[in-house]
Amino acid sequence: MNAGPWLSVPPPGYGGIENVVATLVPELRRLGVRVVLASVGSSTLDVDERLSVFADGQFSALQRPYNQVCGIAQAHLGGVVRALRERDDIDLVHDHVEAVGLATLTAMGPGGPPVLHTLHWDLGKHPDLYGQLDGGERVRVNGVSAAQLARAPAALRAHSVGHVHLATPLAVDADRRPAAEPGEHMLVLGRINPGKGQDVAARLARRSGVPLVLAGPVGPYHRPEDLAAAGDQARQNPDVRFWYEQVAPHVDGVLVRWVGTVAGRERDDLIATARATLFPLRWEEPGGTAVVESLALGTPVVATARGCLPELITHGRTGLLTDDEDELIDLLFAATLIDRDECRREAAIRFTPEAMARRYVELYDRVRQQSGPVLEAA
């Protein structure tokens, strides 16, 4: 299970892919899968074996200029490849490292183990890689939504074995959890960047008078005081520039608040007591971890109908979707009519870790069967 070099598993707060891995692995092991985790040394997830190149996560370097950061993922993958060449007991690699993971594991050639590479991001990226991919029978990919794969280049779709929706531990027995008393605030949960639309949310708060809480990191900065201490040099990061230019002018600490990265009970309480979680998306959201977390905690979703949102949300039953940004204000007020128990029931059926793990085991078996000759050669 290749989680990459960026954050520990589980992550200390924000960490989309790392949270997916932390959700998936315990259920895989419960189903009898033996897991070797390739991550950073500070990962604490219970696994059968660990592999690491870096002692701690390299997330703070992620958005530095390319010539400063390009070797990090390659160094991590180098460690993975060395381990794969030295041992003969790896039946399959489940890879989560954007672009570099797919390219490196494909380049191992026919002597490598079967690979399932999960696509967690916008597939409009990396057109030269995806448009010419040739993994033979050994390398396959899966999406995290049908909408994501529908936008993939033909060569990438030809390697696809389907999609698996994301899950959350919060969905386990979500329909039996006592309901929290909803408050007045709306919440945007996630890394602050243009695609997530936090500037849109802030303007909506100003227009509607509905309090807004923004929760998530700005670039590598997880707390307001960390960003303030970084000074002007932080503006080299494009997400930091977006924050200062488009979002921060609306943040007054009362109607619009940024609380930084939240985790654990603090995050869950913030979601469960929101009138709605808001997703004013500017991009085709591929997976939507925060969406399924919201449903599991009984909080309806208000969003632009982009990417995976129409797959995850039933309009009028578990949330409200629109193609019109101006309509989001009306939907925020209408969200109080959504049955919060129905949100929890939906999550308990569709978005549990067990449901995700069983689907992945099916895909593992399919990839291994399709790679039969490669397994014999390995």
Side-chain angles (χ1 to χ4, degrees), residues 98 119-126 130 148 151 283-284 286:
E98 181 175 352
L119 302 154
H120 292 273
W121 38 83
D122 176 5
L123 302 185
K125 299 163 71 175
H126 320 303
Y130 294 154
Q148 178 200 33
R151 297 170 57 84
W283 77 313
E284 305 303 322

Side-chain angles (χ1 to χ4, degrees), residues 32-52:
V33 179
R34 182 171 170 268
V35 177
V36 179
L37 177 66
S39 179
V40 293
S42 55
S43 291
T44 58
L45 185 70
D46 285 338
V47 291
D48 296 280
E49 291 185 52
R50 301 177 188 278
L51 167 67
S52 61

Side-chain angles (χ1 to χ4, degrees), residues 295-307:
L295 297 182
L297 290 165
T299 302
V301 170
V302 172
T304 46
R306 300 190 66 167

Side-chain angles (χ1 to χ4, degrees), residues 186 188 197-206 210 212 214 256 278 280:
M186 57 179 167
V188 178
Q198 283 90 351
D199 57 323
V200 175
R203 291 195 298 272
L204 291 175
R206 291 291 181 189
V210 176
L212 168 66
L214 303 173
V256 180
L278 179 63

Side-chain angles (χ1 to χ4, degrees), residues 32-97:
V33 179
R34 182 171 170 268
V35 177
V36 179
L37 177 66
S39 179
V40 293
S42 55
S43 291
T44 58
L45 185 70
D46 285 338
V47 291
D48 296 280
E49 291 185 52
R50 301 177 188 278
L51 167 67
S52 61
V53 171
F54 296 95
D56 207 349
Q58 303 297 301
F59 183 79
S60 62
L62 192 55
Q63 291 185 318
R64 291 178 187 168
Y66 176 77
N67 62 352
Q68 296 179 19
V69 72
C70 64
I72 293 175
Q74 284 87 344
H76 172 86
L77 262 296
V80 170
V81 169
R82 283 192 296 273
L84 294 175
R85 295 203 183 282
E86 290 169 358
R87 54 195 299 170
D88 60 3
D89 61 339
I90 301 297
D91 298 311
L92 178 137
V93 178
H94 187 175
D95 179 66
H96 301 266
V97 178

Side-chain angles (χ1 to χ4, degrees), residues 152-238:
L156 191 62
R157 284 201 309 273
H159 288 74
S160 171
V161 289
H163 69 277
V164 183
H165 286 143
L166 301 178
T168 173
L170 296 169
V172 178
D173 295 330
D175 51 338
R176 302 179 185 179
R177 186 179 300 120
E181 187 66 30
E184 289 299 314
H185 70 277
M186 57 179 167
L187 173 68
V188 178
L189 185 69
R191 183 163 62 91
I192 294 174
N193 69 12
K196 302 286 187 182
Q198 283 90 351
D199 57 323
V200 175
R203 291 195 298 272
L204 291 175
R206 291 291 181 189
R207 290 168 55 192
S208 67
V210 176
L212 168 66
V213 178
L214 303 173
V218 175
Y221 305 102
H222 290 273
R223 299 180 301 171
E225 54 267 35
D226 295 337
L227 179 58
D232 287 343
Q233 66 176 1
R235 293 178 185 253
Q236 296 179 19
N237 184 295

Side-chain angles (χ1 to χ4, degrees), residues 96-355:
H96 301 266
V97 178
E98 181 175 352
V100 178
L102 179 62
T104 302
L105 294 167
T106 299
M108 288 187 71
V115 173
L116 178 64
H117 172 82
T118 296
L119 302 154
H120 292 273
W121 38 83
D122 176 5
L123 302 185
K125 299 163 71 175
H126 320 303
D128 295 325
L129 172 63
Y130 294 154
Q132 303 177 56
L133 180 65
D134 183 4
E137 296 182 343
R138 187 177 62 84
V139 177
R140 292 289 180 266
V141 304
N142 76 276
V144 289
S145 66
Q148 178 200 33
L149 287 175
R151 297 170 57 84
L156 191 62
R157 284 201 309 273
H159 288 74
S160 171
V161 289
H163 69 277
V164 183
H165 286 143
L166 301 178
T168 173
L170 296 169
V172 178
D173 295 330
D175 51 338
R176 302 179 185 179
R177 186 179 300 120
E181 187 66 30
E184 289 299 314
H185 70 277
M186 57 179 167
L187 173 68
V188 178
L189 185 69
R191 183 163 62 91
I192 294 174
N193 69 12
K196 302 286 187 182
Q198 283 90 351
D199 57 323
V200 175
R203 291 195 298 272
L204 291 175
R206 291 291 181 189
R207 290 168 55 192
S208 67
V210 176
L212 168 66
V213 178
L214 303 173
V218 175
Y221 305 102
H222 290 273
R223 299 180 301 171
E225 54 267 35
D226 295 337
L227 179 58
D232 287 343
Q233 66 176 1
R235 293 178 185 253
Q236 296 179 19
N237 184 295
D239 287 352
V240 173
R241 288 198 300 273
F242 168 71
W243 164 259
Y244 278 120
E245 295 171 5
Q246 303 296 329
V247 185
H250 301 287
V251 176
D252 60 4
V254 181
L255 184 62
V256 180
R257 294 188 295 135
W258 175 44
V259 297
T261 297
V262 291
R265 178 60 64 86
E266 181 184 5
R267 181 203 61 181
D268 296 350
D269 289 346
L270 196 58
I271 298 171
T273 58
R275 72 157 58 207
T277 51
L278 179 63
F279 296 85
L281 301 173
R282 286 199 184 93
W283 77 313
E284 305 303 322
E285 179 72 49
T289 300
V291 175
V292 299
E293 290 174 340
S294 181
L295 297 182
L297 290 165
T299 302
V301 170
V302 172
T304 46
R306 300 190 66 167
C308 67
L309 269 294
E311 293 177 45
L312 305 181
I313 299 301
T314 302
H315 180 73
R317 188 160 66 87
T318 58
L320 298 166
L321 303 174
T322 180
D323 293 319
D324 183 356
E325 184 179 298
D326 292 332
E327 191 183 4
L328 288 170
I329 288 180
D330 293 336
L331 299 188
L332 281 171
F333 289 104
T336 58
L337 302 177
I338 296 290
D339 184 347
R340 297 171 82 92
D341 289 336
E342 182 64 18
C343 296
R344 282 187 285 270
R345 284 192 291 269
E346 181 81 353
I349 294 170
R350 297 181 60 196
F351 302 124
T352 63
E354 181 181 1

